[in-house]
Amino acid sequence: IGHDQDPDDTLYISRLMFFKEEPEFIRHEAYMNGYADGTFKPAGTMTRAEACTVIARLLEKEEAIAGTSAFADVAADQWYAKYIGFCEAKGLLKSYSGNFLPNQPITRAEFSELVYLTGLATDKGIKASFTDVAADHPKNASIMAAASYFPRK
């Protein structure tokens, strides 16, 4: 989103509705960092904890991210605890029998839902169609939002 953002743009409006205030337009924060060993692992998979970290960093400045988690498997002393707590406080996460499973890989459907719940994606654009996503799939709306697009004016 830039300074010349069209105020009629649905994604811009969704972002404003999520933040309840004007987002800052002139900053860019790192939202994906490397690992402690100096690698980025471009071919690696993303864990559920790492996905929460990316989402939290996209929604808030690093120094303002805070939160504690009620999930039984998210200990407060883990590096990812504040990111999961932040996303949990925003209502973006679902429990698996009281656990979050932070070190499990995140599926494409789960990531699509995480982004969809932020309000940064919408399924109001041109719809995609997938042979392996039934209309009654539990994450259908978020998958379609991830794959929808708006033609440029």
Side-chain angles (χ1 to χ4, degrees):
I1 299 176
H3 282 294
D4 60 347
Q5 181 66 46
D6 178 356
D8 293 326
D9 185 326
T10 304
L11 294 177
Y12 175 77
I13 293 167
S14 294
R15 186 177 176 103
L16 288 178
M17 289 170 42
F18 184 78
F19 286 108
K20 307 284 193 249
E21 61 186 49
E22 184 75 13
E24 293 181 38
F25 291 114
I26 57 172
R27 73 173 175 83
H28 173 32
E29 303 280 335
Y31 56 90
M32 289 188 80
N33 297 330
Y35 293 89
D37 66 359
T39 63
F40 186 80
K41 301 182 183 178
T45 59
M46 186 179 291
T47 67
R48 295 166 56 81
E50 290 169 329
C52 286
T53 303
V54 169
I55 295 297
R57 287 176 176 162
L58 285 169
L59 297 177
E60 187 59 74
K61 293 178 186 178
E62 179 71 34
E63 59 273 9
I65 297 171
T68 56
S69 177
F71 293 116
D73 60 347
V74 179
D77 64 347
Q78 294 296 309
W79 68 266
Y80 48 72
K82 74 176 186 176
Y83 303 105
I84 293 172
F86 176 87
C87 290
E88 191 176 347
K90 297 282 187 195
L92 306 178
L93 306 180
K94 297 201 167 114
S95 168
Y96 291 90
S97 300
N99 292 307
F100 180 65
L101 311 175
N103 295 309
Q104 297 262 348
I106 191 165
T107 67
R108 290 169 53 95
E110 289 170 332
F111 188 78
S112 297
E113 183 171 351
L114 187 57
V115 172
Y116 183 67
L117 291 173
T118 67
L120 297 175
T122 177
D123 60 352
K124 305 296 184 216
I126 295 174
K127 305 284 190 215
S129 176
F130 300 106
T131 59
D132 60 345
V133 181
D136 62 349
H137 187 284
K139 297 189 183 344
N140 181 281
S142 56
I143 292 168
M144 293 307 131
S148 295
Y149 67 96
F150 293 89
R152 295 204 178 257
K153 296 178 185 173

